[in-house]
């Protein structure tokens, strides 16, 4: 398979490109970025080729699939065009900045008949897949309540330009700040683990510390705290932050009828189960992918497998729309100080 990548920022450099490069079924990677030097640099690292316009990717019939790693406001444009040009597409999250834009992509996927997968990569970690297995086994009974967190020191230390001018801080490009960057991962994870949907939310947001390249507070939230109710009646809390200085937090706790499951709380054990009878069962699986610990996410391998074998992706376009709706409801709640139905 020959693949193309739109956008040559950090997500391409550290995740998409190396994972395509290591996949035995990929013969060549073709890079496009509106900053040509970024595409040139990655093509040199990963023995790929470069095009100077995105249309060249769409028109190249030898390119089977495309990763859309553009900034958030462009996903509905590039992913739609890629699908309609006959390419299978892996879109970065969030799928779009509005439900209407997301529907453009879904309609293009339906019209094209090609595979659309969205990079909600937390579904792919061994710990989260094991956690889902434990829940489905019924050994802990029903999940009653939950809490989940995702925070690190901010995208200015992760982004390709390593500065406060990052597009993540711009409302017209990132849309919803930390909620669309980190929060959407955990909202999707709740849907995945619980086989449920977030139905009702209340939230508070703030721009507490981050400033832009001019020293002014950024245009989007750097922290958001949420209360969540699911369709099946579970209650939960969520906290998302770009100001966890010193250490990332990627943890989730599930409180069940017969015990507690802690995910990514312990340095050595990715899952800790404490039963109602106070028995402790620890699972040592794999360390989670972090900004400082770049390992294979499994996303690219899964996407390539879907394309080669016609499989349904573990994260569909509709899954991504459901998570986007939850983000939009959280932002609306934070802005209006009201409880919002998703």
């Amino acid at each position: 398979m020959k693949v193309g990548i739109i956008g040559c920022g950090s997500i391409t450099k550290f995740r998409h490109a190396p994972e395509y490069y290591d996949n035995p079924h990929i013969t060549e990677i073709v890079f496009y970025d509106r900053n040509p030097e970024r595409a040139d640099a990655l093509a040199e690292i990963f023995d790929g080729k470069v095009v100077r316009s995105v249309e060249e990717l769409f028109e190249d019939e030898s390119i089977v699939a495309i990763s859309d790693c553009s900034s958030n406001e462009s996903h509905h444009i590039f992913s739609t065009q890629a699908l309609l040009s006959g390419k299978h597409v892996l879109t970065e999250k969030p799928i779009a900045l509005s439900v209407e834009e997301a529907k453009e992509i879904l309609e293009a996927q339906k019209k094209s008949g090609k595979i659309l997968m969205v990079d909600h990569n937390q579904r792919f970690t061994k710990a989260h897949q094991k956690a889902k297995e434990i829940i489905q086994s019924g050994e802990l009974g029903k999940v009653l309540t939950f809490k989940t967190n995702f925070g690190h020191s901010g995208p200015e230390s992760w982004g390709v330009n390593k500065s406060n001018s990052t597009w993540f801080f711009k409302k017209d490009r990132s849309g919803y700040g930390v909620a669309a960057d980190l929060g959407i991962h955990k909202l999707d994870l709740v849907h995945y683990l619980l086989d449920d949907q977030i139905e009702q939310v209340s939230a508070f947001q703030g721009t507490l510390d981050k400033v832009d390249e001019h020293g002014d507070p950024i245009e989007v939230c750097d922290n958001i705290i949420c209360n969540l109710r699911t369709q099946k009646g579970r209650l939960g809390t969520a906290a998302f932050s770009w100001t966890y200085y010193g250490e990332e937090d990627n943890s989730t706790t599930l409180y069940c009828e017969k015990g507690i499951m802690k995910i990514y709380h312990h340095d050595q054990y990715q899952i800790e189960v404490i039963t109602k009878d106070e028995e402790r069962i620890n699972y040592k699986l794999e360390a989670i992918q972090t900004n400082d610990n770049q390992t294979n996410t499994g996303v690219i391998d899964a996407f390539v497998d879907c394309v080669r074998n016609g499989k349904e992706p573990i994260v569909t376009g509709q899954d991504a729309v459901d998570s986007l709706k939850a983000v939009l409801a959280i932002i609306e709640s934070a802005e209006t100080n009201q409880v919002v139905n998703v």
Side-chain angles (χ1 to χ4, degrees):
M1 280 175 51
K2 182 177 176 181
V3 297
I5 301 180
I6 301 170
C8 294
S10 290
I11 197 70
T12 293
K13 181 178 181 180
F14 294 117
R15 307 233 173 130
H16 289 249
E19 292 183 27
Y20 276 127
Y21 186 77
D22 289 340
N23 186 287
H25 303 292
I26 300 303
T27 56
E28 187 173 56
I29 310 171
V30 183
F31 296 91
Y32 166 75
D33 193 280
R34 62 181 184 174
N35 296 307
E37 67 278 4
R38 291 183 185 173
D40 291 340
L42 293 191
E44 184 173 347
I45 294 171
F46 298 105
D47 194 25
K49 289 187 177 179
V50 173
V51 293
R52 295 307 186 203
S53 72
V54 71
E55 288 75 20
E56 290 178 70
L57 288 181
F58 302 147
E59 293 166 2
D60 186 341
E61 294 182 358
S62 66
I63 293 176
V64 175
I66 286 177
S67 275
D68 183 356
C69 299
S70 62
S71 48
N72 297 349
E73 84 284 5
S74 299
H75 291 169
H76 73 291
I77 298 171
F78 293 139
S79 290
T80 296
Q81 290 175 341
L83 287 162
L84 294 178
S85 67
K87 316 300 185 190
H88 302 286
V89 173
L90 173 60
T91 304
E92 264 304 319
K93 56 77 200 168
I95 187 172
L97 292 182
S98 71
V99 173
E100 292 73 21
E101 290 177 352
K103 285 181 177 178
E104 290 180 31
I105 302 175
L106 267 59
E107 288 168 5
Q109 186 273 326
K110 186 176 180 181
K111 185 175 180 179
S112 70
K114 297 299 179 180
I115 287 169
L116 169 66
M117 184 169 131
V118 182
D119 189 6
H120 286 288
N121 56 40
Q122 296 225 347
R123 294 190 181 210
F124 294 85
T125 74
K126 289 181 180 178
H128 290 149
Q129 291 190 345
K130 182 64 177 179
K132 186 175 178 71
E133 179 186 313
I134 294 170
I135 294 166
Q136 289 180 328
S137 75
E139 61 189 83
L140 289 176
K142 293 187 294 185
V143 177
L144 303 174
T145 63
F146 61 90
K147 61 183 179 182
T148 190
N149 301 283
F150 199 179
H152 57 50
S153 60
E156 72 273 32
S157 59
W158 153 258
V160 68
N161 62 357
K162 299 290 189 298
S163 83
N164 286 20
S165 65
T166 174
W167 65 264
F168 284 95
F169 289 172
K170 312 300 181 184
K171 188 171 180 58
D172 62 337
R173 299 191 67 190
S174 83
Y176 311 110
V178 71
D181 180 35
L182 303 184
I184 198 165
H185 275 302
K186 290 301 187 181
L187 300 172
D188 178 75
L189 180 66
V190 168
H191 290 169
Y192 172 69
L193 288 180
L194 304 186
D195 190 25
D196 201 353
Q197 296 285 322
I198 295 165
E199 180 179 69
Q200 198 172 49
V201 305
S202 64
F204 294 95
Q205 67 175 344
T207 304
L208 306 182
D209 192 58
K210 296 299 184 187
V211 295
D212 63 18
E213 67 270 34
H214 307 296
D216 299 320
I218 63 173
E219 301 168 354
V220 292
C221 59
D222 60 20
N223 280 271
I224 193 159
I225 308 292
C226 321
N227 293 314
L228 311 169
R229 182 197 295 274
T230 73
Q231 290 177 357
K232 295 179 181 178
R234 284 115 164 194
L235 304 178
T237 60
F240 314 125
S241 178
W242 279 338
T243 63
Y244 287 3
Y245 302 122
E247 185 176 53
E248 291 190 25
D249 185 355
N250 212 324
S251 63
T252 299
T253 305
L254 305 176
Y255 299 93
C256 309
E257 292 174 307
K258 300 177 184 178
I260 299 169
M261 188 191 313
K262 296 182 177 182
I263 309 169
Y264 293 126
H265 281 266
H266 195 282
D267 288 341
Q268 287 187 318
Y269 304 114
Q270 288 72 52
I271 297 178
E272 303 165 86
V273 172
I274 303 100
T275 71
K276 204 171 186 178
D277 300 325
E278 298 185 1
E279 179 187 2
R280 289 182 174 266
I281 308 162
N282 296 323
Y283 296 85
K284 191 170 186 178
L285 301 158
E286 64 176 358
I288 193 168
Q289 167 109 210
T290 69
N291 288 352
D292 298 323
N293 177 38
Q294 298 297 324
T295 58
N296 191 306
T297 63
V299 172
I300 297 300
D301 290 344
F303 177 57
V304 171
D305 184 46
C306 288
V307 171
R308 293 185 66 247
N309 297 297
K311 293 181 179 179
E312 176 85 356
I314 192 173
V315 192
T316 66
Q318 187 58 54
D319 291 331
V321 173
D322 292 339
S323 299
L324 173 63
K325 286 179 178 178
V327 166
L328 296 174
I330 285 167
I331 294 295
E332 181 183 347
S333 174
E335 289 177 346
T336 62
N337 293 317
Q338 294 181 342
V339 175
V340 173
N341 293 322
V342 177

